[in-house]
Structure formats: structure tokens, C-alpha cells
Coordinates of all heavy atoms in Angstrom, one line a residue:
M1 N 69.3 27.2 122.8 CA 70.6 27.4 122.4 C 70.7 28.7 121.5 O 69.9 28.8 120.5 CB 71.1 26.2 121.6 CG 72.5 26.3 121.2 SD 73.1 24.7 120.6 CE 73.7 25.1 119.1
A2 N 71.7 29.6 121.8 CA 71.8 30.8 121.0 C 72.6 30.5 119.7 O 73.5 29.6 119.6 CB 72.6 31.8 121.8
V3 N 72.2 31.2 118.7 CA 72.9 31.1 117.4 C 74.0 32.1 117.3 O 73.8 33.3 117.4 CB 71.9 31.3 116.2 CG1 72.6 31.2 114.9 CG2 70.8 30.3 116.2
T4 N 75.3 31.6 117.3 CA 76.5 32.4 117.2 C 77.1 32.1 115.9 O 76.8 31.2 115.2 CB 77.4 32.0 118.4 OG1 77.8 30.7 118.2 CG2 76.7 32.2 119.7
P5 N 78.1 33.0 115.5 CA 78.8 32.7 114.2 C 79.5 31.4 114.2 O 79.8 30.9 113.1 CB 79.8 33.9 114.1 CG 79.2 35.0 115.0 CD 78.4 34.3 116.1
E6 N 79.8 30.8 115.3 CA 80.5 29.5 115.4 C 79.6 28.4 115.2 O 80.0 27.2 114.9 CB 81.3 29.4 116.7 CG 82.5 30.3 116.8 CD 82.0 31.7 117.3 OE1 81.0 31.8 118.0 OE2 82.8 32.7 117.0
S7 N 78.3 28.6 115.5 CA 77.3 27.5 115.5 C 77.0 27.1 114.0 O 77.0 27.9 113.1 CB 76.0 27.8 116.2 OG 75.3 28.8 115.5
P8 N 76.6 25.8 113.8 CA 76.3 25.4 112.4 C 75.0 26.0 111.9 O 74.8 26.0 110.7 CB 76.2 23.8 112.6 CG 76.3 23.5 114.0 CD 76.7 24.7 114.8
A9 N 74.2 26.5 112.7 CA 72.9 27.1 112.3 C 73.1 28.5 111.8 O 72.1 29.1 111.2 CB 71.9 27.0 113.4
F10 N 74.2 29.1 112.0 CA 74.5 30.4 111.5 C 74.6 30.5 110.0 O 75.4 29.7 109.4 CB 75.7 31.0 112.2 CG 75.9 32.4 112.0 CD1 75.2 33.4 112.8 CD2 76.8 32.9 111.0 CE1 75.4 34.7 112.6 CE2 77.0 34.3 110.8 CZ 76.3 35.2 111.6
P11 N 73.8 31.4 109.3 CA 73.9 31.4 107.9 C 75.3 32.1 107.4 O 75.6 33.2 107.9 CB 72.8 32.3 107.4 CG 72.4 33.1 108.6 CD 72.8 32.3 109.8
H12 N 76.0 31.4 106.6 CA 77.3 31.9 106.2 C 77.3 32.4 104.7 O 78.4 32.8 104.2 CB 78.4 30.8 106.3 CG 78.7 30.5 107.8 ND1 79.4 31.4 108.6 CD2 78.4 29.5 108.6 CE1 79.5 30.9 109.8 NE2 78.9 29.7 109.8
E13 N 76.2 32.4 104.0 CA 76.2 32.9 102.7 C 76.1 34.4 102.6 O 75.6 35.0 103.5 CB 75.1 32.2 101.9 CG 73.7 32.7 102.3 CD 72.9 31.6 103.0 OE1 73.4 30.8 103.7 OE2 71.7 31.6 102.6
E14 N 76.5 34.9 101.5 CA 76.5 36.4 101.2 C 75.0 36.7 101.0 O 74.3 36.1 100.2 CB 77.3 36.7 100.0 CG 78.8 36.6 100.3 CD 79.4 37.6 101.2 OE1 78.9 38.7 101.3 OE2 80.3 37.2 102.0
P15 N 74.5 37.8 101.6 CA 73.1 38.1 101.4 C 72.7 38.6 100.1 O 71.6 38.5 99.6 CB 72.9 39.2 102.5 CG 74.2 39.8 102.7 CD 75.2 38.7 102.5
H16 N 73.6 39.2 99.3 CA 73.3 39.8 98.0 C 74.0 39.2 96.8 O 73.9 39.7 95.7 CB 73.6 41.3 98.0 CG 72.8 42.1 99.0 ND1 71.5 42.2 99.0 CD2 73.2 42.7 100.2 CE1 71.0 43.0 100.0 NE2 72.1 43.3 100.7
V17 N 74.6 38.1 97.0 CA 75.3 37.5 95.9 C 74.3 37.0 94.8 O 73.4 36.3 95.1 CB 76.2 36.3 96.4 CG1 76.7 35.5 95.2 CG2 77.3 36.8 97.3
G18 N 74.5 37.5 93.6 CA 73.6 37.2 92.5 C 72.3 37.9 92.5 O 71.5 37.7 91.6
D19 N 72.1 38.8 93.4 CA 70.9 39.6 93.4 C 71.0 40.7 92.4 O 71.9 41.6 92.5 CB 70.7 40.2 94.8 CG 69.3 40.9 94.9 OD1 68.5 40.8 94.0 OD2 69.0 41.4 96.0
R20 N 70.2 40.7 91.3 CA 70.4 41.7 90.2 C 70.0 43.1 90.7 O 70.6 44.1 90.1 CB 69.5 41.3 89.1 CG 69.9 40.0 88.4 CD 69.1 39.6 87.2 NE 69.1 40.7 86.2 CZ 70.1 40.8 85.3 NH1 71.1 39.9 85.2 NH2 70.0 41.7 84.3
A21 N 69.2 43.3 91.7 CA 68.8 44.6 92.1 C 70.0 45.4 92.8 O 70.0 46.6 92.7 CB 67.6 44.5 93.1
T22 N 70.9 44.6 93.4 CA 72.0 45.3 94.1 C 73.3 45.0 93.5 O 74.3 45.3 94.1 CB 72.0 44.9 95.6 OG1 72.2 43.4 95.7 CG2 70.7 45.2 96.3
E23 N 73.3 44.5 92.3 CA 74.6 44.1 91.7 C 75.6 45.2 91.6 O 76.8 45.1 91.9 CB 74.3 43.4 90.4 CG 75.5 42.9 89.7 CD 75.2 42.2 88.4 OE1 74.0 41.7 88.2 OE2 76.0 42.1 87.5
H24 N 75.1 46.4 91.1 CA 76.0 47.5 90.9 C 76.4 48.1 92.2 O 77.6 48.5 92.4 CB 75.3 48.6 90.1 CG 75.0 48.2 88.7 ND1 75.9 47.9 87.8 CD2 73.8 48.1 88.0 CE1 75.4 47.5 86.6 NE2 74.1 47.7 86.8
A25 N 75.6 48.1 93.2 CA 76.0 48.7 94.5 C 77.0 47.7 95.2 O 77.9 48.2 95.8 CB 74.7 48.8 95.4
D26 N 76.8 46.4 95.0 CA 77.8 45.5 95.6 C 79.2 45.7 94.9 O 80.2 45.6 95.6 CB 77.3 44.1 95.4 CG 76.1 43.8 96.3 OD1 75.9 44.5 97.3 OD2 75.4 42.8 96.0
H27 N 79.2 45.9 93.6 CA 80.4 46.1 92.9 C 81.1 47.4 93.4 O 82.3 47.4 93.6 CB 80.2 46.1 91.4 CG 81.4 46.5 90.6 ND1 82.5 45.6 90.5 CD2 81.8 47.6 90.0 CE1 83.4 46.2 89.8 NE2 83.0 47.4 89.4
D28 N 80.3 48.5 93.5 CA 80.9 49.7 94.0 C 81.5 49.6 95.4 O 82.5 50.2 95.7 CB 79.9 50.8 93.9 CG 79.6 51.2 92.4 OD1 80.4 50.9 91.6 OD2 78.5 51.9 92.2
A29 N 80.7 48.9 96.2 CA 81.2 48.8 97.6 C 82.5 48.0 97.7 O 83.4 48.3 98.5 CB 80.1 48.1 98.5
A30 N 82.6 47.0 96.8 CA 83.8 46.2 96.8 C 85.0 47.0 96.2 O 86.2 46.8 96.6 CB 83.6 44.9 96.0
A31 N 84.8 47.9 95.3 CA 85.8 48.7 94.7 C 86.3 49.8 95.5 O 87.4 50.3 95.3 CB 85.3 49.2 93.3
Y32 N 85.5 50.2 96.5 CA 85.9 51.4 97.3 C 87.0 51.0 98.3 O 86.9 50.0 99.0 CB 84.7 51.9 98.1 CG 85.0 53.1 99.0 CD1 85.3 54.3 98.5 CD2 85.2 52.9 100.4 CE1 85.6 55.4 99.3 CE2 85.5 53.9 101.2 CZ 85.7 55.2 100.7 OH 86.1 56.2 101.5
Q33 N 88.0 51.9 98.3 CA 89.1 51.7 99.3 C 89.3 53.0 100.0 O 89.7 54.0 99.3 CB 90.4 51.2 98.6 CG 90.3 49.9 97.9 CD 91.6 49.5 97.2 OE1 92.5 50.3 97.1 NE2 91.6 48.3 96.6
R34 N 89.1 53.0 101.2 CA 89.2 54.3 102.0 C 90.5 55.0 101.9 O 91.6 54.4 102.0 CB 88.9 54.0 103.5 CG 88.9 55.2 104.3 CD 88.6 54.8 105.8 NE 88.8 55.9 106.7 CZ 88.0 56.8 107.0 NH1 86.8 56.8 106.4 NH2 88.3 57.8 107.8
G35 N 90.5 56.3 101.5 CA 91.7 57.1 101.5 C 92.4 57.0 100.2 O 93.5 57.6 100.0
T36 N 91.9 56.3 99.2 CA 92.7 56.1 97.9 C 92.1 56.9 96.8 O 92.7 57.1 95.8 CB 92.8 54.7 97.5 OG1 91.5 54.1 97.3 CG2 93.5 53.9 98.6
M37 N 90.8 57.4 96.9 CA 90.2 58.0 95.8 C 90.4 59.6 95.9 O 90.5 60.1 97.0 CB 88.7 57.7 95.8 CG 88.4 56.3 95.7 SD 86.6 56.0 95.7 CE 86.5 54.7 94.5
T38 N 90.5 60.2 94.8 CA 90.7 61.7 94.8 C 89.3 62.3 94.9 O 88.3 61.8 94.5 CB 91.3 62.1 93.4 OG1 90.4 61.7 92.4 CG2 92.7 61.5 93.3
I39 N 89.3 63.5 95.6 CA 88.1 64.2 95.9 C 88.1 65.6 95.4 O 87.4 66.5 95.9 CB 87.7 64.1 97.4 CG1 88.8 64.8 98.2 CG2 87.5 62.7 97.8 CD1 88.4 65.1 99.6
E40 N 88.9 65.9 94.4 CA 89.0 67.3 93.9 C 87.7 67.8 93.3 O 87.3 68.9 93.6 CB 90.1 67.4 92.8 CG 91.5 67.4 93.3 CD 92.0 66.0 93.5 OE1 91.4 65.0 93.0 OE2 93.0 65.8 94.2
E41 N 87.0 66.9 92.6 CA 85.7 67.4 92.0 C 84.7 67.6 93.2 O 83.9 68.6 93.1 CB 85.1 66.3 91.1 CG 85.8 66.3 89.8 CD 85.2 65.3 88.8 OE1 84.0 65.0 89.0 OE2 85.9 64.8 87.9
Q42 N 84.6 66.8 94.2 CA 83.7 67.0 95.3 C 84.1 68.3 96.0 O 83.2 69.0 96.4 CB 83.7 65.8 96.2 CG 83.0 64.6 95.6 CD 84.0 63.7 94.9 OE1 85.1 64.1 94.6 NE2 83.6 62.5 94.5
S43 N 85.4 68.5 96.2 CA 85.8 69.7 96.9 C 85.5 71.0 96.1 O 85.0 72.0 96.7 CB 87.3 69.6 97.2 OG 87.6 68.6 98.0
A44 N 85.7 70.9 94.8 CA 85.3 72.1 94.0 C 83.8 72.3 94.0 O 83.4 73.5 94.0 CB 85.9 71.8 92.6
T45 N 83.0 71.2 93.9 CA 81.6 71.4 93.9 C 81.1 72.0 95.2 O 80.3 72.9 95.2 CB 80.9 70.0 93.7 OG1 81.4 69.5 92.4 CG2 79.4 70.2 93.7
W46 N 81.7 71.5 96.3 CA 81.2 72.1 97.7 C 81.7 73.5 97.8 O 80.9 74.4 98.3 CB 81.8 71.2 98.8 CG 81.5 71.8 100.1 CD1 82.3 72.4 101.0 CD2 80.2 71.8 100.7 NE1 81.6 72.7 102.1 CE2 80.3 72.4 102.0 CE3 78.9 71.3 100.3 CZ2 79.2 72.6 102.8 CZ3 77.8 71.5 101.1 CH2 78.0 72.1 102.4
S47 N 82.9 73.9 97.3 CA 83.3 75.3 97.4 C 82.4 76.2 96.5 O 82.1 77.3 97.0 CB 84.8 75.3 96.9 OG 85.2 76.7 96.9
L48 N 82.0 75.7 95.3 CA 81.1 76.5 94.5 C 79.8 76.6 95.2 O 79.2 77.7 95.2 CB 80.9 75.8 93.1 CG 79.9 76.4 92.2 CD1 80.4 77.8 91.8 CD2 79.7 75.6 91.0
F49 N 79.2 75.6 95.8 CA 78.0 75.7 96.5 C 78.0 76.7 97.6 O 77.1 77.5 97.8 CB 77.6 74.3 97.1 CG 76.4 74.4 98.0 CD1 75.1 74.5 97.5 CD2 76.6 74.3 99.4 CE1 74.0 74.6 98.3 CE2 75.5 74.4 100.2 CZ 74.2 74.5 99.7
Q50 N 79.1 76.7 98.4 CA 79.2 77.6 99.5 C 79.3 79.0 99.0 O 78.7 79.9 99.6 CB 80.5 77.3 100.3 CG 80.3 76.1 101.2 CD 81.6 75.9 102.1 OE1 82.7 76.0 101.6 NE2 81.4 75.6 103.4
T51 N 80.1 79.3 97.9 CA 80.2 80.6 97.4 C 78.9 81.1 96.9 O 78.5 82.3 97.1 CB 81.2 80.6 96.2 OG1 82.5 80.2 96.8 CG2 81.4 82.0 95.7
L52 N 78.1 80.3 96.1 CA 76.8 80.7 95.6 C 75.8 80.9 96.7 O 75.0 81.8 96.6 CB 76.3 79.6 94.6 CG 77.1 79.5 93.3 CD1 76.5 78.3 92.5 CD2 77.0 80.8 92.5
A53 N 75.9 80.1 97.8 CA 75.0 80.3 98.9 C 75.3 81.6 99.6 O 74.3 82.3 100.0 CB 75.1 79.1 99.9
E54 N 76.5 81.9 99.8 CA 76.9 83.2 100.5 C 76.4 84.4 99.7 O 75.8 85.3 100.2 CB 78.4 83.2 100.7 CG 78.8 82.2 101.8 CD 80.4 82.0 101.8 OE1 81.1 82.6 100.9 OE2 80.8 81.3 102.7
W55 N 76.8 84.4 98.4 CA 76.4 85.6 97.5 C 74.9 85.6 97.3 O 74.3 86.7 97.3 CB 77.2 85.5 96.2 CG 78.6 85.9 96.3 CD1 79.7 85.1 96.5 CD2 79.1 87.3 96.4 NE1 80.8 85.9 96.6 CE2 80.5 87.2 96.6 CE3 78.5 88.5 96.3 CZ2 81.3 88.3 96.6 CZ3 79.3 89.6 96.4 CH2 80.7 89.5 96.5
G56 N 74.3 84.5 97.2 CA 72.8 84.4 97.0 C 72.1 85.0 98.2 O 71.1 85.7 98.1
T57 N 72.6 84.7 99.4 CA 72.1 85.2 100.7 C 72.2 86.7 100.7 O 71.3 87.4 101.1 CB 72.8 84.6 101.9 OG1 72.6 83.1 101.8 CG2 72.2 85.1 103.2
L58 N 73.4 87.2 100.3 CA 73.6 88.7 100.3 C 72.6 89.4 99.4 O 72.0 90.4 99.7 CB 75.0 89.0 100.0 CG 75.3 90.5 99.8 CD1 75.2 91.2 101.2 CD2 76.8 90.7 99.3
I59 N 72.5 88.8 98.2 CA 71.6 89.4 97.2 C 70.2 89.3 97.6 O 69.4 90.3 97.5 CB 71.8 88.7 95.8 CG1 73.2 89.1 95.2 CG2 70.7 89.1 94.8 CD1 73.6 88.3 94.1
S60 N 69.7 88.2 98.2 CA 68.4 88.1 98.7 C 68.1 89.1 99.8 O 67.0 89.7 99.8 CB 68.1 86.7 99.2 OG 68.3 85.7 98.1
F61 N 69.0 89.2 100.7 CA 68.8 90.2 101.8 C 68.8 91.6 101.3 O 67.9 92.4 101.7 CB 70.0 90.0 102.8 CG 69.7 90.8 104.1 CD1 68.8 90.4 105.0 CD2 70.3 92.0 104.3 CE1 68.5 91.1 106.2 CE2 70.1 92.7 105.5 CZ 69.2 92.3 106.4
C62 N 69.6 91.9 100.3 CA 69.6 93.3 99.7 C 68.2 93.6 99.0 O 67.7 94.6 99.1 CB 70.7 93.5 98.7 SG 72.3 93.6 99.6
L63 N 67.7 92.6 98.3 CA 66.4 92.7 97.6 C 65.3 92.9 98.6 O 64.4 93.7 98.5 CB 66.1 91.5 96.7 CG 67.0 91.5 95.4 CD1 66.7 90.2 94.7 CD2 66.7 92.7 94.5
A64 N 65.4 92.1 99.7 CA 64.3 92.3 100.8 C 64.4 93.6 101.4 O 63.4 94.3 101.7 CB 64.5 91.1 101.8
L65 N 65.7 94.1 101.7 CA 65.8 95.4 102.3 C 65.3 96.5 101.4 O 64.6 97.4 101.8 CB 67.3 95.7 102.6 CG 67.6 97.1 103.1 CD1 67.0 97.3 104.5 CD2 69.1 97.3 103.1
F66 N 65.6 96.4 100.1 CA 65.1 97.4 99.1 C 63.6 97.4 99.1 O 62.9 98.4 99.1 CB 65.7 97.1 97.7 CG 65.2 98.1 96.7 CD1 65.8 99.4 96.6 CD2 64.2 97.8 95.8 CE1 65.3 100.3 95.7 CE2 63.8 98.7 94.8 CZ 64.3 99.9 94.8
A67 N 63.0 96.2 99.0 CA 61.5 96.1 99.0 C 60.9 96.7 100.3 O 59.9 97.4 100.2 CB 61.1 94.6 98.8
F68 N 61.5 96.4 101.4 CA 61.0 96.9 102.7 C 61.1 98.4 102.7 O 60.1 99.1 103.1 CB 61.8 96.3 103.8 CG 61.4 96.9 105.2 CD1 60.2 96.5 105.8 CD2 62.2 97.9 105.8 CE1 59.9 97.0 107.0 CE2 61.8 98.4 107.0 CZ 60.7 98.0 107.6
L69 N 62.2 99.0 102.3 CA 62.4 100.4 102.3 C 61.6 101.2 101.3 O 61.1 102.3 101.5 CB 63.9 100.8 102.2 CG 64.8 100.4 103.4 CD1 66.2 100.7 103.1 CD2 64.3 101.1 104.7
I70 N 61.4 100.6 100.1 CA 60.6 101.3 99.0 C 59.1 101.4 99.4 O 58.4 102.3 99.0 CB 60.8 100.6 97.7 CG1 60.4 101.5 96.5 CG2 60.0 99.3 97.6 CD1 61.4 102.5 96.2
L71 N 58.7 100.4 100.2 CA 57.3 100.4 100.7 C 57.1 101.2 102.0 O 55.9 101.4 102.4 CB 56.8 99.0 100.8 CG 56.7 98.2 99.6 CD1 56.3 96.7 99.9 CD2 55.7 98.8 98.6
A72 N 58.2 101.6 102.6 CA 58.0 102.4 103.9 C 57.6 103.8 103.5 O 58.0 104.4 102.5 CB 59.4 102.4 104.6
P73 N 56.6 104.3 104.3 CA 56.1 105.7 104.0 C 57.2 106.7 104.1 O 58.0 106.7 105.0 CB 55.1 105.9 105.0 CG 54.8 104.6 105.6 CD 55.9 103.7 105.4
G74 N 57.3 107.6 103.1 CA 58.2 108.7 103.1 C 59.7 108.4 102.7 O 60.5 109.2 102.8
T75 N 60.0 107.1 102.3 CA 61.3 106.8 102.0 C 61.7 107.1 100.6 O 62.7 107.8 100.3 CB 61.6 105.3 102.3 OG1 61.2 105.0 103.6 CG2 63.0 105.0 102.1
G76 N 60.9 106.7 99.6 CA 61.1 107.0 98.2 C 62.2 106.1 97.7 O 62.7 105.2 98.3
F77 N 62.4 106.2 96.4 CA 63.3 105.4 95.7 C 64.8 105.5 96.1 O 65.5 104.6 96.4 CB 63.3 105.6 94.1 CG 64.2 104.8 93.4 CD1 63.9 103.4 93.1 CD2 65.4 105.3 92.9 CE1 64.8 102.6 92.4 CE2 66.3 104.5 92.2 CZ 66.0 103.2 92.0
M78 N 65.2 106.8 96.2 CA 66.6 107.0 96.6 C 66.8 106.6 98.1 O 67.9 106.1 98.5 CB 67.0 108.5 96.4 CG 67.1 108.8 95.0 SD 68.2 107.8 94.0 CE 69.8 108.2 94.6
G79 N 65.8 106.8 98.9 CA 66.0 106.3 100.3 C 66.0 104.8 100.5 O 66.5 104.3 101.5
A80 N 65.6 104.1 99.5 CA 65.7 102.7 99.5 C 66.9 102.2 98.7 O 67.6 101.2 99.1 CB 64.4 102.0 98.9
F81 N 67.3 102.9 97.7 CA 68.4 102.5 96.8 C 69.7 102.7 97.5 O 70.6 101.8 97.4 CB 68.3 103.3 95.5 CG 69.4 102.9 94.5 CD1 69.3 101.7 93.8 CD2 70.5 103.7 94.3 CE1 70.3 101.3 92.9 CE2 71.4 103.4 93.4 CZ 71.3 102.2 92.7
I82 N 69.9 103.8 98.1 CA 71.2 104.1 98.7 C 71.6 103.1 99.9 O 72.7 102.5 99.8 CB 71.3 105.6 99.2 CG1 71.3 106.5 98.0 CG2 72.6 105.8 100.0 CD1 71.2 107.9 98.3
P83 N 70.7 102.9 100.8 CA 71.1 101.9 101.9 C 71.3 100.5 101.3 O 72.2 99.7 101.8 CB 70.0 101.9 102.8 CG 69.3 103.1 102.6 CD 69.5 103.5 101.2
T84 N 70.6 100.1 100.3 CA 70.7 98.8 99.6 C 72.1 98.7 99.0 O 72.8 97.7 99.1 CB 69.6 98.5 98.6 OG1 68.4 98.6 99.3 CG2 69.7 97.2 98.0
V85 N 72.5 99.7 98.3 CA 73.8 99.7 97.6 C 74.9 99.7 98.6 O 75.9 98.9 98.5 CB 74.0 100.9 96.7 CG1 75.4 101.1 96.2 CG2 73.0 100.8 95.5
V86 N 74.8 100.4 99.7 CA 75.8 100.4 100.8 C 75.9 99.1 101.4 O 77.0 98.5 101.6 CB 75.4 101.5 101.9 CG1 76.3 101.3 103.1 CG2 75.6 102.9 101.3
L87 N 74.8 98.4 101.7 CA 74.8 97.1 102.2 C 75.5 96.1 101.2 O 76.3 95.2 101.6 CB 73.4 96.6 102.6 CG 73.3 95.1 103.1 CD1 74.0 95.0 104.4 CD2 71.9 94.7 103.2
M88 N 75.1 96.2 100.0 CA 75.7 95.3 99.0 C 77.2 95.5 98.9 O 78.0 94.5 98.8 CB 75.0 95.5 97.6 CG 75.4 94.5 96.6 SD 74.4 94.6 95.1 CE 73.0 93.5 95.6
V89 N 77.7 96.7 98.9 CA 79.1 97.0 98.8 C 79.9 96.4 100.1 O 80.9 95.8 100.0 CB 79.4 98.5 98.6 CG1 80.9 98.8 98.9 CG2 78.9 99.0 97.3
I90 N 79.3 96.7 101.2 CA 79.9 96.2 102.5 C 79.9 94.7 102.5 O 81.0 94.1 102.8 CB 79.2 96.8 103.7 CG1 79.5 98.3 103.8 CG2 79.7 96.1 105.0 CD1 78.7 99.0 104.9
G91 N 78.8 94.1 102.2 CA 78.7 92.6 102.2 C 79.6 92.1 101.1 O 80.3 91.0 101.3
G92 N 79.7 92.7 100.0 CA 80.6 92.2 98.9 C 82.1 92.3 99.3 O 82.9 91.4 99.0
V93 N 82.4 93.3 100.0 CA 83.8 93.4 100.5 C 84.1 92.3 101.5 O 85.2 91.7 101.4 CB 84.1 94.8 101.1 CG1 85.4 94.9 101.9 CG2 84.1 95.9 100.0
F94 N 83.2 92.1 102.4 CA 83.4 91.0 103.4 C 83.5 89.6 102.7 O 84.3 88.8 103.1 CB 82.4 91.0 104.5 CG 82.6 92.0 105.5 CD1 81.7 93.0 105.8 CD2 83.8 92.0 106.3 CE1 82.0 94.0 106.8 CE2 84.0 92.9 107.3 CZ 83.1 93.9 107.5
L95 N 82.6 89.4 101.7 CA 82.7 88.1 101.1 C 83.9 87.9 100.2 O 84.4 86.8 100.1 CB 81.4 87.9 100.3 CG 80.1 87.6 101.1 CD1 78.9 87.5 100.1 CD2 80.3 86.4 101.9
A96 N 84.3 89.0 99.5 CA 85.5 88.9 98.7 C 86.8 88.8 99.4 O 87.7 88.1 99.0 CB 85.5 90.1 97.8
R97 N 86.8 89.3 100.7 CA 88.0 89.2 101.5 C 88.1 88.0 102.4 O 89.1 87.8 103.1 CB 88.2 90.5 102.3 CG 88.3 91.7 101.5 CD 88.4 93.0 102.3 NE 89.8 93.0 102.8 CZ 90.2 93.7 103.8 NH1 89.3 94.5 104.4 NH2 91.4 93.7 104.3
K98 N 87.1 87.2 102.3 CA 87.0 86.0 103.1 C 88.1 85.0 102.8 O 88.3 84.7 101.6 CB 85.7 85.3 103.0 CG 85.4 84.2 104.0 CD 84.1 83.5 103.7 CE 84.3 82.5 102.6 NZ 83.3 81.5 102.5
P99 N 88.9 84.5 103.7 CA 90.0 83.6 103.4 C 89.5 82.3 102.8 O 88.4 81.8 103.3 CB 90.7 83.4 104.7 CG 89.7 83.7 105.8 CD 88.8 84.8 105.2
K100 N 90.2 81.8 101.9 CA 89.8 80.5 101.3 C 90.1 79.4 102.3 O 91.1 79.4 102.9 CB 90.5 80.3 100.0 CG 90.2 81.3 98.9 CD 88.7 81.3 98.5 CE 88.4 82.3 97.5 NZ 87.1 82.6 97.3
A101 N 89.2 78.4 102.3 CA 89.4 77.2 103.2 C 90.6 76.4 102.7 O 90.6 76.1 101.5 CB 88.1 76.4 103.3
G102 N 91.5 76.0 103.5 CA 92.6 75.2 103.1 C 92.3 73.7 103.2 O 93.2 72.9 103.0
G103 N 91.2 73.3 103.7 CA 90.9 71.9 103.9 C 90.9 71.6 105.4 O 91.3 72.4 106.2
H104 N 90.5 70.4 105.7 CA 90.5 69.9 107.1 C 91.7 69.2 107.4 O 92.2 68.3 106.8 CB 89.3 69.0 107.4 CG 88.0 69.6 106.9 ND1 87.7 71.0 107.0 CD2 86.9 69.1 106.5 CE1 86.5 71.2 106.6 NE2 86.0 70.0 106.3

């Protein structure tokens, strides 16, 4: 005979009631109501992360380009500095002009 929710052998007690290890998690799960909590802090944190990741990528790429060009034979300091500054300006213009996300 299969055990179904209607059968008397089916356990009907809560699995974590009174369990001290999951007490806080159970309370938080019961307090959560979908669509009622504000997410301004999470949105601001994600926006900051995206901005730092974009600018950090540009800076890292510019440093790698400068290191590559400074070590290239016959390039010299100015031959590495000028293309790096040009790339940084062009990348900075594109990142600064990027439209802000309005949300989903």
C-alpha cells in the first residue's frame, strides 16, 4: 500500500518545529511575503557592483596594454603611454555615456 497524504501513515508534523538549528531560518521564511519587501538597497548594491566591474575591467585592460607595449621592442614609454591614454579616454566616454538601467 502506498503512503499518500490522505493515509494515516503519512507524517503530518512540521519537520523543523522546535529545532534550534533552524529556528531563525524558519522565522525568516514565515515572515517573507513575495512582492511586499523593498529592494532599493539590493538594487543600489548591484548597480554599484556593475559600475565597479565595468570601470575595473577598463583599467585592468589599460594596464595590461601599457605593460605589453612598454615591453615591446622599439616602443618606448611614449609609444606605450599614448595608446593607453587614448584607450582609457575612449573607454571612459563609452562607460560614462552608457544609459542607466531602468529596471526590469
Side-chain angles (χ1 to χ4, degrees):
M1 182 170 128
V3 177
T4 63
E6 293 82 24
S7 68
F10 189 79
H12 290 286
E13 66 245 43
E14 294 290 325
H16 297 294
V17 172
D19 188 2
R20 294 184 59 85
T22 62
E23 185 176 337
H24 295 298
D26 291 340
H27 173 71
D28 289 343
Y32 177 74
Q33 295 177 0
R34 181 178 168 86
T36 60
M37 298 181 145
T38 59
I39 59 167
E40 284 82 17
E41 286 185 23
Q42 290 88 349
S43 296
T45 301
W46 179 250
S47 177
L48 176 64
F49 170 76
Q50 283 183 316
T51 302
L52 291 176
E54 291 166 353
W55 284 97
T57 301
L58 176 64
I59 291 169
S60 297
F61 190 75
C62 288
L63 288 174
L65 176 67
F66 180 78
F68 175 77
L69 291 176
I70 198 80
L71 295 173
T75 306
F77 178 78
M78 291 307 288
F81 183 73
I82 292 173
T84 302
V85 170
V86 168
L87 176 66
M88 189 170 271
V89 168
I90 292 172
V93 167
F94 279 119
L95 287 179
R97 296 181 76 195
K98 190 181 83 164
K100 300 294 181 194
H104 306 330

